[in-house]
Each structure stands twice: as structure tokens, then as C-alpha cells.
Amino acid sequence: MRSKGLQAYCFGLYAFLYAPLAVMVAFSFNTARRNVAWKGFTFQWYGALLRDAELARSVATTLELAVVASLMAAVMGMLAAYAMTRHAPFKGRGLYSALLNAPLMMPEIVMGVGLLSFFSRAGVPLNFWSLACAHALIALPFTTASIRARLLSLKESSLEDAAMDLGATEWEAFLQITLPLARPAIISGALLAFTVSFEDFVTSFFIAGIGIVTMPIKIYSMMKFGVTPEINALATCLLAITIGFLFIQRFLDARSRLN
Amino acid sequence: MSDAPLLELIGVAKSFGAAKVLSGINLTVGHGEFLTLLGPSGCGKTTTLRIIAGFERPDSGKVLLRGRDVAGLPPYKRDVHTVFQHYALFPHYSVFENVAFGLRIRRLPEAEIQARVTEALALVKLAGFADRRTTALSGGQMQRIALARAIVGRPSLLLLDEPLGALDLKLRRDMQLELKAIQRRLGIAFVYVTHDQDEAMAMSDRIIVFHQGRIEQTGTPAEVYHRPRTSFVADFMGSANILSARLLRSYEGCARIRVEDEVEFDLPREEAPPALHGGELCLAVRPERIHVRYEEELPLRGDCVSLPAVLTDTVNLGDETQMFLSLFKKSAKTVVAASMDARHQTERQDGTPVWVDIRWKDILLLEPPPVG
């Protein structure tokens, strides 16, 4: 029967997708040092994580980066989306919008190499701020898309027209109507940008200067000695955080569509 | 300056890309007047409204507000407010803050804002609603809030873009009367856009009929209805039988007309027929002005044209009976007559020969539609 076959296919697909995650989560609670056999339940690896100062520093760096990069991407995304939705169709708008989305399509390795050679040519020191700029660049398509969709639906409802009709200048209408009503989309876009920056490895690997160790880079270096239960525990934490973020983001998206 | 009309558009034209939306629009709005822009969708009436409001800039022509050209001014520099089609209430503000928006932008003192918003809400009969959220209101209530928000700043001109379009029929009728009453009471001039000719007839001091980016006719509701100038206006305002006709001869006070290249008769009339293109014109008769007479009945008394016809179909619509008549042998065109008379409600067999009586004054001679 058709549905039996489909069921089996779906089951197989989801097993393939999620079994590795399940194994990883399970082994993060395993007492054994090796990921081979189940010996018993423990929280010890989570404790070890907390005591690892180097790891803690890399997590802090990653969080700081993600906050700065998502703020930058949110501000730039708002400006870009406003330009694309509010102003009379300007010449090259299609190209502008395609270029904004390019980082989505571009292989990350190309971005990494490109940014590295650009920064070294331009004499920009490789530090926290140059890395933050790079992250903002990768995250920009996400914030722009989210805010743009919201601004388009706002435009449909003539709310800004109504504000200007009642005497508000374009700037006043932006501050009092557009910005508050676009806020859920801005936050939702910024959350996406946050996760993009948080988990970025390739770009960071290329342009992180000396002394800047983000968490993904730290995990990579830990893995050189094999996948330890600490790494499983760390990945499990990241998984939990990511799922939490996704929920918040979906919730905000739904709310921004409802109004 | 004070004798200038409140608003005057002179030769306004507008295109969007290759599409010409408006050409050569001239119109005036007097102080306190209720003017309706009427026409089918896509005829340019909403674009005209947006040009008056300042959301669109005309390609050419002048927009004079009290004699001053405002064509280049943004919306916030005109004391003209708009009631939008879908209300456009601010969802993140309460009813009170929605109405107060324009006053807060103008930084009026708080006490005055309180007083004026309260007054405006009372005027639209929503006095108790100040603290509600706008998202929880019905369509009719949102419409009233939108109206209160637009009039609270006491504009000299209010623009309304199909404001009742989203309401059901019963509520529409009530709101029409109420809007008209509010307009009279405030003495604010209204420019009202609609595609509903009944609404236009019920509310307006004057109607401007739009068609394909041009003004077809301007006049009071009675003028536009009873003396349409073009076949489009005759058909759009109520319904009309439109027939092709040719003016054969014109004597003093009398014209010989040939209809659908077949039926000829003399039509006495005082005014000259409209400007003609080689004698071609349009003849329009409203269905309710056609009297259908059975052979055994006496002709209509007075000045009328009597023509033989064949009854091809009868449709009963409750009070009204519609009769479809064939007057011509060569043309397949049928003429519709409508009657409230009970004697037409008894079934007559299709194919019954009848007489059609039309009073001279009910025969409208119109400009034919432009060719192409």
C-alpha cells in the first residue's frame, strides 16, 4: 500500500536525521569515557564543562560576537528593507536586493577567503570587531528578509500613509508607526542573525585573529583528540539553546503576522 | 483669495509607467460641498483622491488648495485628511490614541486633546470606547473611529476612499445617512470616492462620473441621472437601453431619427441634439420609462412615440416585472422594459405582439462612445 511505503520512508528519513542527535544527547549522560558502550547515567561531563575556563571564555566570546553582529545586522537590515519597500523603485533595485541575498548562496569558504584577503589588503586588523562585521554580513540576508516581509504588509495597510495624512512627517511616521509595528519582525530577524553568528565556523576560522577563539573553533580543536563526552554535553546544551531560540523566533513571527 | 474655490484641479494628468491613469482632469470643490467621484474600478478616481491628499504627484497640472498650488507638497503639509478604504487604524494604539494621533503630532495641549477627542468620539457615537483596542472592534465601529480620527483635526477638506466598501448593505445604508448628517453638521467639504451609484445619488451635492481616466460628466445627482451626456453615464447611473441612432434631418424643434438602421420616427425637442460625428449618436431609454401596451389597450396619452414590438421573454422579480422586447428585424438587439404594474404580472405568451410607448422627454440623445 502506498501509505505503508510512505510511512516507512518517512520513518527512515527521520531516523537518519535525528538518530545522530539522539545518540549524542544520550552519550552526554554516559559515565564511560568512550562513545562505545553505555555504562551508567551521570551529569559529570556537564560539571566538567562548567569548570573548563578556556571553554567558558570561548562561549563568552561567541555570545558577545553574536550580540554585536545581530544588532548590526538588525539595524542594517531595517535600513535596507526600508529602502527597498518605501522608496520609489530606484534604478538597480533588483541588483541591490540580489546582492544583499548573495551571502546566503555564496559558499562560506568563498566568503571566508574573500573577507580574509580583503581585511589584509585593506590593513584592517583581525580582531573581535572585524569578526563581528563579518558575522553581521553573513546574517544580513536573514534580518533583511524578515523585516522586508513585515514592511511590505504594513505598506499594504496604508498605516504610514494615514500617519502622514494626519500631519506626521516621514520620520515621525517611521518612529511612531513603522518601527513599533515592525518590532516583532526586527527581533525575529535578529534572533536568526544571532544563531547564524553563534554557530558560524568556516568564516570565523578564516578571519579570527590571534587570541580570538569562538566556541565552534574551540570545539573543533577539542575534537582533535576524539569526540569526548564533554563535547557531547556541550553540543547538547547548544541544541537546547537553539531549539529555544527557534521557538521564540517562530512565536514572534506568528505574532507579527497576526496583527 | 477668499473667493477662490476650496480645491481646484486644473489639467491634472498622471501615468504609472506606460499606463495613462488620468488625463486632463479639471474639477472644483466648493466650501462645505459633498462631491462624489463615481466610476468603475480602475477609472482613476482613487488616483485623483491620492493626488489631492498628496500621496501621488501629478505629472502635469495644478492642484490649488484655496488658490495655492500644493501639487509638490507632501501630505503632512496640507490640511486635508483622508478616511482610508480599509480604515488604516493603528493597531498598537487604543481608540483614544488613534483619534488623538494628529493632535499629538501638532503638539496641542493635553487638555485640548482630551476635549477634542472626547467630542469627536461622541460625534461618531462611540463615546464609551476610548480605552478599547482597535483590533477588537467591528467593521462599522472601525469605520467610525477612522472618521473621528480624520475630523478631529478640523480639516477644511475630507477625502473618503470607498469608506463603506467593506460594510454589509444594511449598515451601509445607515452609515450613508449618518455620514451625510455629520458632513452637514461640521460644514467640512467631502470628496467621496465610490463605485456605487446608489450611494452617490443618496449622498452627494454633486457627482463627477469618471471613465478611463477622464471625466464623463459633472452635475447634481438629478442632472446626471436624468440628463446623462454620454451612453456610458446613462448605463452606469441606473440601467439603460442603449441603441445606435442616426440623425437624418433636423427641423425647427424636431429631429428625424433612424434607430438601429431600421426604425424611423420624428422626435420633437427643444434643445439641439449633442455634438455629432456625422450624424451618429446614441439613443438611451431607461427600462422603467418604456410602457408596454397590449393590443387591446389604449395608447399612452400625450407626447410619445409608439412602436410595434414582440414580447420575447418575461421575468418576474417580485414587485417588478422585466419584459424583453424585440423591436427590430435586422438587429438582434433586445430592449428591456421594467414595470411595477400588476397587469404585467399575469403571464403573456412569448411572441405576443405588443406596442411600446415612450414619451419624447424620456428618449435621451447622447454622444456615442468614442471609437477605439
Side-chain angles (χ1 to χ4, degrees):
Chain A
M1 261 174 64
R2 194 190 64 135
S3 66
K4 275 264 171 62
L6 262 181
Q7 271 176 10
Y9 168 75
C10 285
F11 184 80
L13 184 70
Y14 278 100
F16 179 69
L17 280 175
Y18 290 106
L21 288 178
V23 170
M24 178 197 81
V25 173
F27 277 103
S28 73
F29 297 108
N30 188 3
T31 34
R33 187 76 211 157
R34 299 240 162 249
N35 285 333
V36 188
W38 180 263
K39 288 278 169 56
F41 185 87
T42 178
F43 276 120
Q44 72 178 95
W45 310 118
Y46 290 88
L49 279 186
L50 289 178
R51 285 188 300 275
D52 188 334
E54 250 181 79
L55 184 64
R57 203 174 323 122
S58 77
V59 170
T61 306
T62 302
L63 285 176
E64 283 165 25
L65 258 179
V67 167
V68 172
S70 57
L71 281 177
M72 282 163 69
V75 172
M76 288 191 293
M78 180 74 202
L79 296 176
Y82 193 81
M84 282 190 290
T85 57
R86 288 304 179 272
H87 285 281
F90 50 87
K91 232 183 180 171
R93 184 159 71 161
L95 182 67
Y96 178 69
S97 136
L99 283 177
L100 265 177
N101 284 324
L104 269 182
M105 266 77 83
M106 199 89 74
E108 260 201 273
I109 195 132
V110 175
M111 290 290 292
V113 172
L115 280 166
L116 180 61
S117 60
F118 171 75
F119 282 149
S120 53
R121 280 275 163 150
V124 177
L126 296 179
N127 57 20
F128 177 86
W129 293 103
S130 48
L131 189 53
C133 287
H135 279 193
L137 182 68
I138 322 172
L140 186 57
F142 296 94
T143 54
T144 311
S146 161
I147 298 169
R148 184 167 179 235
R150 177 65 175 157
L151 289 188
L152 278 177
S153 78
L154 276 182
K155 191 179 185 180
E156 204 91 321
S157 61
S158 351
L159 292 175
E160 292 146 333
D161 278 356
M164 285 201 270
D165 186 72
L166 291 166
T169 60
E170 192 177 344
W171 178 239
E172 284 169 325
F174 177 80
L175 284 184
Q176 299 197 24
I177 307 299
T178 317
L179 203 53
L181 290 173
R183 197 165 52 203
I186 298 172
I187 296 174
S188 149
L191 285 181
L192 267 179
F194 188 92
T195 47
V196 167
S197 159
F198 191 77
E199 54 116 60
D200 177 77
F201 174 73
V202 178
T203 311
S204 307
F205 193 67
F206 273 91
I207 49 179
I210 302 146
I212 299 186
V213 181
T214 68
M215 188 194 56
I217 294 176
K218 174 70 185 161
I219 292 177
Y220 178 73
S221 65
M222 281 163 78
M223 295 236 304
K224 282 174 183 161
F225 310 105
V227 179
T228 61
E230 284 105 325
I231 295 178
N232 282 336
L234 180 57
T236 304
C237 293
L238 291 182
L239 187 68
I241 294 169
T242 310
I243 290 174
F245 262 78
L246 273 178
F247 268 107
I248 300 173
Q249 196 254 333
R250 290 288 290 272
F251 171 74
L252 287 171
D253 246 19
R255 213 179 57 173
S256 114
R257 260 197 298 275
L258 274 182
N259 291 338
Chain B
M1 272 309 205
S2 61
D3 54 344
L6 179 60
L7 176 80
E8 198 171 4
L9 301 195
I10 304 170
V12 167
K14 176 81 187 170
S15 300
F16 292 118
K20 206 161 175 58
V21 183
L22 291 176
S23 39
I25 298 296
N26 296 304
L27 64 85
T28 60
V29 184
H31 293 270
E33 186 182 24
F34 196 124
L35 177 76
T36 297
L37 311 184
L38 175 68
S41 59
C43 68
K45 55 194 193 302
T46 295
T47 305
T48 306
L49 204 70
R50 290 179 62 82
I51 284 174
I52 301 172
F55 297 122
E56 305 286 351
R57 193 191 268 253
D59 298 337
S60 59
K62 285 182 177 165
V63 180
L64 303 176
L65 199 56
R66 292 196 195 78
R68 193 168 73 101
D69 194 355
V70 296
L73 288 186
Y76 51 85
K77 288 195 177 155
R78 308 177 181 202
D79 72 332
V80 172
H81 293 175
T82 307
V83 176
F84 290 85
Q85 191 168 6
H86 298 292
Y87 322 133
L89 297 181
F90 306 129
H92 55 312
Y93 287 160
S94 67
V95 165
F96 184 94
E97 287 306 321
N98 261 280
V99 178
F101 185 86
L103 307 179
R104 293 222 190 280
I105 287 287
R106 278 151 59 185
R107 301 200 169 72
L108 294 188
E110 186 61 34
E112 192 180 345
I113 292 177
Q114 288 285 343
R116 279 169 72 168
V117 172
T118 309
E119 186 193 3
L121 284 176
L123 186 73
V124 297
K125 299 182 186 154
L126 286 175
F129 283 68
D131 298 325
R132 301 261 191 117
R133 291 193 71 84
T134 57
T135 41
L137 300 178
S138 73
Q141 288 166 338
M142 290 209 257
Q143 187 53 66
R144 286 157 192 269
I145 303 298
L147 181 66
R149 184 178 70 177
I151 58 178
V152 75
R154 294 173 195 153
S156 51
L157 177 61
L158 193 67
L159 309 175
L160 302 99
D161 186 6
E162 307 241 4
L164 308 182
L167 305 182
D168 60 57
L169 193 65
K170 173 86 178 66
L171 198 53
R172 265 180 103 119
R173 296 271 175 266
D174 296 346
M175 278 301 282
Q176 282 170 13
L177 297 176
E178 209 175 313
L179 264 178
K180 181 76 195 154
I182 288 174
Q183 191 259 341
R184 287 245 174 80
R185 197 152 130 208
L186 297 174
I188 296 176
F190 276 27
V191 175
Y192 190 98
V193 161
T194 183
H195 63 269
D196 178 341
Q197 77 276 7
D198 293 337
E199 197 164 286
M201 293 286 292
M203 303 171 80
S204 321
D205 294 325
R206 262 190 323 140
I207 296 175
I208 296 183
V209 184
F210 273 71
H211 181 47
Q212 294 178 343
R214 290 174 187 282
I215 291 177
E216 288 270 323
Q217 189 170 357
T218 304
T220 64
E223 278 168 358
V224 175
Y225 185 83
H226 293 295
R227 279 188 281 135
R229 224 166 40 79
T230 65
S231 55
F232 174 81
V233 176
D235 199 32
F236 195 77
M237 302 297 297
S239 55
N241 293 291
I242 311 253
L243 302 169
S244 74
R246 189 182 303 148
L247 182 71
L248 298 177
R249 287 182 296 278
S250 196
Y251 319 91
E252 200 138 310
C254 187
R256 180 129 189 109
I257 310 279
R258 187 176 171 85
V259 180
E260 293 286 321
D261 209 19
E262 195 174 327
V263 176
E264 279 184 29
F265 53 82
D266 284 316
L267 187 63
R269 51 184 45 225
E270 280 149 34
E271 74 257 45
L276 300 173
H277 311 282
E280 293 297 330
L281 42 80
C282 258
L283 183 151
V285 187
R286 299 207 178 275
E288 68 273 19
R289 301 293 183 171
I290 296 179
H291 301 269
V292 174
R293 166 164 62 90
Y294 302 114
E295 298 220 292
E296 68 272 15
E297 293 171 335
L298 290 171
L300 204 62
R301 288 170 66 194
D303 308 330
C304 72
V305 175
S306 292
L307 301 168
V310 174
L311 190 65
T312 56
D313 202 1
T314 310
V315 178
N316 240 310
L317 302 171
D319 291 354
E320 191 188 86
T321 308
Q322 281 188 355
M323 286 158 284
F324 294 82
L325 304 156
S326 162
L327 269 78
F328 313 106
K329 290 191 184 66
K330 281 191 275 179
S331 153
K333 207 164 245 177
T334 47
V335 168
V336 185
S339 169
M340 308 282 270
D341 195 326
R343 71 183 214 286
H344 291 303
Q345 287 184 2
T346 51
E347 293 275 319
R348 291 270 174 165
Q349 211 169 359
D350 297 345
T352 308
V354 292
W355 284 91
V356 163
D357 294 340
I358 310 166
R359 287 186 202 282
W360 294 338
K361 68 169 177 54
D362 293 332
I363 296 178
L364 306 166
L365 293 183
L366 311 171
E367 287 171 25
V371 182

